[in-house]
Amino acid sequence: MKTQVAIIGAGPAGLLLGHMLRAEGVDCVVLERQTGDYVLGRIRAGVLENITVNLMERLGLDARLKAEGLVEEGFNLADGERLIRIDVANLTGKTVVVYGQTEITKDLMDAAAPRGLEVIYEAGDVALHDIESDAPYVTYTKDGAAQRIDARFIVGCDGFHGPSRKAIPASAAVEYERVYPFGWLGILADVPPCNHELIYANHERGFALASMRSHTRSRYYVDVPLTEKVEDWSDDRIWDELAIRLGPDAAANITRGPSIEKSIAPLRSYVFGTMRHGSLLLCGDAAHIVPPTGAKGLNLAASDVHYAAEALVAHFKRADQDAIGLYSGKALARVWKGERFSWSLTKLMHRFPEDGPFERAMQVAELDYIASSTAAQTVIAENYVGLPV
Ligand code: APR
Ligand code: PHB
């Protein structure tokens, strides 16, 4: 098979890019290792910046997002008994939308066939070849048979563990990494949220987050040492911990219920120093990881896709020879700002095992400053709502 762009991975990055290219008349094929149901089974964050909402709008795939998404005008930082509200709407003139990543993926998946976007699920042994040439190709197996796709470009949207980034020689880029000494234990339950806006809490027992998927479905997290096992956390134990860490006002409004999903996710900051090597471009988790604090993962994937689609369309439709070369620099400039924000919010809101009284005093001073300064709140708000592309 021959195409202009071979996309590896049908997560949100790969599907968004596929739709963007199809909408502009660029040929592409998406290859995914798993089944569609498996991809939809992954539970991930659900706070959308304008960039992500705008991409869905441009594709005309925002009907359900507009109908079911919850528009959020602010969020809260809790520290013990104190609650600091960040009035995102007033400080920035913009809002975020709470809509699960699973739902975005489903909307993109459902629209693929009607829009002529070819997605090949259950593609095994995907391998990239000749990425330093102008004629790269991808090999894979489908139903036991060997297959090959020739393309002008390959875009790796295959997440942190996919083969794309690994196809780039180690000498081509520096890796930047910070692994955190805790994970987030998440619980999803069909109960009304304890608050209509998100609460990120820093408590002496650890971090907690109250989030939601809808008016009737809640998503909560507590941080735990990486040695903890999910089996040791009964639903009751998690609800008890949340009630302590989120503070008395939120605790009074928590509705408990059985978990429908429960898992521990490690926290990591990671950036691969280039997002293009020859004819291979990287988008999303394939190139970078943020800790979930601030919900930037999906939104950074969306901005990568914005820049990648722009570059590929300029290349194919306007014979622009420079566009592809500019992709990595443009995408990384925004990625680093997202990394900085996620890292700083993680540091502000978690108790690190190595921290002593000085580090805690710095957290208190920073939270005091945020509570009393509109300028400080504006810095947080404009990063939370998403920096311009
Ligand atoms: N061959 C084909 N597909 C692969 C392979 C492979 N060898 N390895 C991984 N994939 C697929 C995965 O199965 C997955 O469906 O690539 C896809 C990558 O999707 P995600 O991990 O969701 O990554 P991305 O699309 O970049 O999503 C952006 O948003 O909420 C954040 O961090 C979260 O992952 C999320 C990110
Ligand atoms: C979520 O709703 O799952 C969520 C929200 C905000 C975050 C991380 C996760 O920062």
Side-chain angles (χ1 to χ4, degrees):
M1 192 193 312
K2 218 174 159 47
T3 188
Q4 289 175 307
V5 182
I7 299 172
I8 305 178
L15 289 174
L16 257 181
L17 181 64
H19 276 292
M20 299 280 289
L21 295 180
R22 285 308 305 136
E24 298 283 351
V26 175
D27 282 341
C28 59
V29 177
V30 185
L31 281 176
E32 166 60 49
R33 183 165 59 130
Q34 308 287 356
T35 63
D37 283 348
Y38 182 96
V39 173
L40 283 181
R42 299 196 190 104
I43 308 286
R44 295 216 166 125
V47 180
L48 309 185
E49 295 177 2
N50 281 357
I51 158 86
T52 311
V53 174
N54 289 347
L55 284 183
M56 293 298 280
E57 206 169 71
R58 266 166 60 188
L59 291 169
L61 293 176
D62 60 332
R64 206 160 66 91
L65 191 165
K66 286 278 151 63
E68 296 174 19
L70 304 178
V71 175
E72 296 274 298
E73 298 192 338
F75 71 100
N76 304 276
L77 300 176
D79 184 38
E81 307 223 326
R82 146 168 88 169
L83 199 66
I84 306 167
R85 178 164 188 268
I86 308 295
D87 189 338
V88 173
N90 271 322
L91 292 165
T92 67
K94 296 179 191 148
T95 52
V96 294
V97 178
V98 167
Y99 188 68
Q101 177 172 327
T102 311
E103 307 309 320
I104 289 270
T105 309
K106 183 173 182 338
D107 294 341
L108 293 166
M109 219 181 241
D110 289 350
R115 294 187 172 201
L117 171 63
E118 187 176 359
V119 185
I120 300 170
Y121 287 97
E122 298 181 270
D125 306 319
V126 168
L128 298 83
H129 308 271
D130 292 355
I131 57 169
E132 288 173 354
S133 78
D134 289 349
Y137 63 98
V138 182
T139 53
Y140 64 100
T141 55
K142 175 74 185 170
D143 301 326
Q147 305 286 346
R148 168 173 170 152
I149 300 180
D150 288 276
R152 174 62 191 86
F153 293 103
I154 301 173
V155 186
C157 299
D158 45 357
F160 189 63
H161 301 286
S164 297
R165 187 182 66 255
K166 294 175 191 147
I168 299 177
S171 58
V174 177
E175 289 183 292
Y176 302 86
E177 184 167 42
R178 168 86 200 253
V179 176
Y180 300 87
F182 36 72
W184 279 18
L185 166 62
I187 181 171
L188 189 69
D190 277 328
V191 292
C194 69
N195 191 46
H196 69 289
E197 291 177 344
L198 272 67
I199 304 173
Y200 293 86
N202 179 334
H203 187 273
E204 62 183 3
R205 290 175 67 94
F207 170 84
L209 168 60
S211 180
M212 70 207 80
R213 291 288 176 273
S214 68
H215 293 303
T216 56
R217 181 169 284 190
S218 300
R219 179 72 167 158
Y220 290 97
Y221 301 88
V222 289
D223 80 324
V224 294
L226 285 168
T227 45
E228 290 290 308
K229 301 225 172 347
V230 78
E231 306 80 72
D232 295 332
W233 285 84
S234 67
D235 291 358
D236 277 339
R237 184 174 173 205
I238 301 178
W239 291 119
D240 289 345
E241 199 62 36
L242 284 164
I244 299 169
R245 296 187 187 186
L246 285 169
D249 291 345
N253 288 317
I254 291 179
T255 309
R256 297 182 179 216
S259 62
I260 48 178
E261 197 268 351
K262 204 163 32 172
S263 54
I264 297 177
L267 270 68
R268 180 197 301 270
S269 295
Y270 175 90
V271 180
F272 191 64
T274 185
M275 290 178 63
R276 181 187 69 92
H277 184 76
S279 297
L280 169 64
L281 284 67
L282 301 176
C283 287
D285 281 15
H288 44 76
I289 297 286
V290 284
T293 334
K296 291 289 168 227
L298 172 61
N299 296 300
L300 288 180
S303 67
D304 295 349
V305 165
H306 165 87
Y307 294 123
E310 184 180 72
L312 290 163
V313 169
H315 177 94
F316 287 113
K317 296 285 147 180
R318 297 197 298 280
D320 181 334
Q321 298 304 313
D322 302 325
I324 296 293
L326 296 173
Y327 166 68
S328 180
K330 284 189 187 182
L332 276 174
R334 194 168 187 279
V335 163
W336 274 116
K337 294 182 194 110
E339 291 281 344
R340 188 207 66 79
F341 179 65
S342 309
W343 164 82
S344 69
L345 198 58
T346 302
K347 285 214 316 176
L348 178 65
M349 300 310 291
H350 292 75
R351 304 287 173 108
F352 287 66
E354 67 268 26
D355 281 359
F358 178 80
E359 285 76 17
R360 176 58 193 151
M362 288 295 100
Q363 287 185 337
V364 173
E366 188 169 343
L367 287 160
D368 278 348
Y369 173 53
I370 293 165
S372 63
S373 161
T374 307
Q377 290 174 17
T378 306
V379 168
I380 294 183
E382 74 171 356
N383 279 279
Y384 190 76
V385 85
L387 296 173
V389 282

